[in-house]
Amino acid sequence: MPKSDVKEPTLFIIGGAEDRIGKSSILRLFVRKSGGKKARLVIIPTASSFQAEVAAAYTAVFEAAGAAEITIVNPRSRRAATNPADVAALDEATGIFMSGGSQLRLSQFLPGTPLGAAIHRAYERGAVIGGTSAGASIMSDFMISMGDEGTTTPRQRTSQISAGLGLLKGCIVDQHFAQRSRYGRLMSVIAPSPHLIGIGIDEDTAIIVSRGTEFTVRGRGAAFVLDCRTAYTDAPDARRGAPMLVSGAVVHTLPAGATFDLATVSLREFVEMHADAMVTKAMAKA
Amino acid sequence: MPKSDVKEPTLFIIGGAEDRIGKSSILRLFVRKSGGKKARLVIIPTASSFQAEVAAAYTAVFEAAGAAEITIVNPRSRRAATNPADVAALDEATGIFMSGGSQLRLSQFLPGTPLGAAIHRAYERGAVIGGTSAGASIMSDFMISMGDEGTTTPRQRTSQISAGLGLLKGCIVDQHFAQRSRYGRLMSVIAPSPHLIGIGIDEDTAIIVSRGTEFTVRGRGAAFVLDCRTAYTDAPDARRGAPMLVSGAVVHTLPAGATFDLATVSLREFVEMHADAMVTKAMAKA
């Protein structure tokens, strides 16, 4: 099999508010990864409150990036998430893209349905599974469905976890991370469950995850990683609303060009890049 | 010498916006630590743009807390920071309190002047040196005089360091920490200077530092500690405005009741407390 046909399970996880009007670097990269002119893309605008507009917007960007085959899959209910034509479109896709909006709407309609199963099959055969904002959070097995934002201080019982699609194991992914100051809420859910790794993605920033074991960062912001495995915490005991004690957590801020190993929870490589993915300088990790 | 007369160098560092109207727990604690009814307090409102109002407000709270001897020291210029009566008041003080406002105004008028020297003498003889907001930042040798806030992502050359009073060595103290989302700016100045420990204090929260080597936390929020000694960073090379790579920093979120060892940069003890300093439960550190 020619090397270019070998695909590996790939997640393309965007922190929201990616550029759709100007250079659209991140979305163009998604199309390239999905096969460029040969891509067969499916857009799932279901999370959004403005599904028609969102579907049209992404269609325009993907077409401008060279994709010719674009299908919209938009189940109106959990029952509708069985539609055979939609399942067939997902089974043919080389790239699947979930828009932003409400992750609870996605979690209601996708996991455990034929559409959800088709997304899993697509992932396993090496299609690129992409999503932004809510469409990013839904990727992991655990996701933050709601929580206080705007603070670095984690507080007890101010965030809620729900179940996601489970494509990315052992992580919780949050988005709009720097812009909505979500450090505190991510800390509040990871500290009590330190076997989970927290990943916070800034706006107009993406992580591209290979085989669920490593990711590279692209875009204008950073991906933040939170590792509480060696932290001491009072999370089991803190009173509702009280600031949570978390001592000795390990954190990483990873700009474009970083490659991070999720198995060892450590930086593997950093190649300094412009936000638009021009390599500026290669640095060896000391 | 009776034990109650033995005083140790004490800093009472508040993250801003402390309650001055209701229970005023933190400010009452400052007065208690400074000798309660026997306290001889000096208020320095110099950082503020509303010095008379600020001086009056703190005088009222301190009097309500039982202090009877309160002097205002407010140099109008660096030249005026030589006034012998002001120096004498500081030399007699058991507690000195610097208000919020502009830390650059404080750094212009105090370090290297007779008033600044008197504050140092007061600290060494065991008076409580207190300050909030700008009056907190001025305590350390290095302080953030300005910088982008509102983001967790550190960016190159977006923050500026100036010199403080140098009472607290080897640290940078930032304030309004959670409320103004200052994690990114603190990271941006500590990553390039990892021998410095970053401390971010939330509003209505204080750290009480003993002998410059350990502190306890009181109040409604948390103190955040940033330790970049083992972090890998591109800080020397990152382009102006670019997100900074920082991998492997160690962080601590410390609510009221935590005691933190600045020498080993680790949690020493945690006694769970209400924000108003009622002990709820003693926990041994595992």
Side-chain angles (χ1 to χ4, degrees):
Chain A
M1 188 178 296
K3 194 172 192 300
S4 63
D5 288 339
V6 174
K7 290 183 166 37
E8 53 184 18
T10 302
L11 301 174
F12 197 107
I13 312 182
I14 305 172
E18 68 286 351
D19 177 20
R20 282 180 264 176
I21 296 170
K23 284 184 177 176
S24 304
S25 305
I26 285 180
L27 294 175
R28 288 180 163 271
L29 183 60
F30 167 76
V31 173
R32 261 204 313 287
K33 293 269 179 196
S34 301
K37 288 183 164 48
K38 297 184 185 176
R40 294 186 299 278
L41 302 179
V42 170
I43 298 170
I44 303 177
T46 304
S48 175
S49 303
F50 307 100
Q51 292 158 1
E53 291 87 338
V54 160
Y58 283 111
T59 299
V61 177
F62 295 159
E63 284 180 343
E69 296 190 42
I70 301 173
T71 308
I72 311 300
V73 165
N74 188 17
R76 295 292 203 260
S77 65
R78 193 173 174 81
R79 185 171 297 180
T82 58
N83 182 312
D86 289 343
V87 172
L90 291 167
D91 279 339
E92 290 299 308
T94 61
I96 297 170
F97 191 89
M98 292 175 281
S99 76
S102 159
Q103 46 265 43
L104 288 178
R105 195 173 296 133
L106 285 176
S107 66
Q108 189 180 14
F109 290 175
L110 294 181
T113 68
L115 291 193
I119 294 171
H120 271 267
R121 286 194 299 273
Y123 174 65
E124 280 144 29
R125 72 171 178 270
V128 179
I129 314 302
T132 184
S133 197
S137 288
I138 194 73
M139 299 275 188
S140 45
D141 32 13
F142 297 87
M143 68 176 191
I144 296 172
S145 46
M146 58 186 68
D148 287 356
E149 48 191 38
T151 177
T152 37
T153 294
R155 286 180 183 266
Q156 186 71 299
R157 293 207 221 160
T158 53
S159 300
Q160 182 168 296
I161 297 289
S162 299
L165 265 174
L167 297 167
L168 179 64
K169 306 285 186 206
C171 297
I172 294 181
V173 174
D174 208 353
Q175 7 81 15
H176 299 279
F177 191 71
Q179 287 78 10
R180 296 186 189 175
S181 293
R182 288 176 161 176
Y183 176 100
R185 85 177 193 172
L186 187 65
M187 179 70 85
S188 77
V189 298
I190 297 293
S193 300
H195 64 294
L196 298 178
I197 299 303
I199 303 175
I201 309 175
D202 292 349
E203 293 182 357
D204 207 18
T205 307
I207 63 170
I208 303 167
V209 189
S210 305
R211 304 177 312 281
T213 58
E214 73 171 37
F215 66 77
T216 55
V217 185
R218 292 288 183 269
R220 299 196 170 277
F224 171 84
V225 176
L226 172 59
D227 176 2
C228 283
R229 293 173 302 163
T230 54
Y232 178 76
T233 182
D234 75 334
D237 300 288
R239 288 170 296 111
R240 177 194 284 275
M244 201 182 276
L245 170 75
V246 187
S247 174
V250 179
V251 295
H252 310 262
T253 295
L254 309 165
T259 298
F260 195 82
D261 184 334
L262 278 169
T264 58
V265 200
S266 64
L267 178 70
R268 173 173 298 165
E269 186 188 43
F270 180 62
V271 178
E272 192 185 332
M273 309 185 91
H274 281 293
D276 298 324
M278 292 162 48
V279 175
T280 60
K281 186 158 79 172
M283 291 170 57
K285 182 178 175 195
Chain B
M1 190 178 296
K3 192 170 191 301
S4 63
D5 287 339
V6 174
K7 291 183 167 37
E8 52 185 19
T10 303
L11 302 173
F12 196 107
I13 312 183
I14 306 172
E18 68 286 350
D19 177 20
R20 281 181 262 175
I21 296 169
K23 285 185 178 174
S24 305
S25 305
I26 286 180
L27 294 176
R28 286 179 166 270
L29 183 60
F30 168 76
V31 173
R32 259 202 319 283
K33 293 269 180 196
S34 301
K37 289 182 163 48
K38 296 184 184 174
R40 294 186 298 277
L41 303 178
V42 170
I43 299 170
I44 303 177
T46 305
S48 176
S49 303
F50 307 100
Q51 293 159 1
E53 291 87 339
V54 160
Y58 283 111
T59 299
V61 177
F62 295 159
E63 284 179 343
E69 296 189 43
I70 301 173
T71 309
I72 310 300
V73 165
N74 187 18
R76 295 292 203 258
S77 65
R78 193 173 174 80
R79 184 171 297 179
T82 58
N83 182 314
D86 289 342
V87 171
L90 290 168
D91 279 340
E92 290 298 308
T94 61
I96 297 169
F97 191 89
M98 291 176 282
S99 77
S102 159
Q103 46 264 42
L104 288 178
R105 194 173 296 132
L106 284 176
S107 67
Q108 189 180 15
F109 290 175
L110 294 181
T113 67
L115 291 193
I119 293 171
H120 271 267
R121 287 195 298 274
Y123 174 65
E124 281 144 29
R125 74 171 176 270
V128 179
I129 314 301
T132 184
S133 196
S137 288
I138 194 72
M139 300 272 188
S140 44
D141 32 13
F142 297 87
M143 68 176 190
I144 296 173
S145 45
M146 58 186 69
D148 286 356
E149 49 191 36
T151 178
T152 36
T153 294
R155 287 181 183 265
Q156 187 70 301
R157 294 207 220 160
T158 54
S159 300
Q160 181 167 297
I161 298 288
S162 299
L165 265 174
L167 296 167
L168 179 63
K169 308 286 186 205
C171 298
I172 294 181
V173 174
D174 208 353
Q175 8 81 14
H176 299 279
F177 191 71
Q179 287 77 10
R180 296 187 188 174
S181 293
R182 288 176 160 176
Y183 176 100
R185 86 178 193 172
L186 187 64
M187 180 70 85
S188 78
V189 298
I190 296 293
S193 300
H195 64 294
L196 298 180
I197 300 302
I199 303 175
I201 309 175
D202 292 348
E203 292 183 357
D204 208 18
T205 307
I207 64 170
I208 304 167
V209 189
S210 304
R211 303 178 312 282
T213 59
E214 73 172 36
F215 66 77
T216 55
V217 185
R218 292 288 182 270
R220 300 197 169 278
F224 172 84
V225 176
L226 173 60
D227 176 2
C228 282
R229 292 173 303 164
T230 55
Y232 178 77
T233 180
D234 75 335
D237 300 288
R239 289 170 294 111
R240 177 192 285 275
M244 202 182 275
L245 170 75
V246 187
S247 174
V250 179
V251 295
H252 309 263
T253 295
L254 309 165
T259 298
F260 194 82
D261 183 334
L262 279 169
T264 59
V265 199
S266 65
L267 177 70
R268 172 172 298 164
E269 185 187 44
F270 180 62
V271 177
E272 192 186 333
M273 308 185 91
H274 281 294
D276 298 324
M278 293 162 47
V279 176
T280 60
K281 186 158 82 173
M283 290 170 59
K285 182 179 176 194

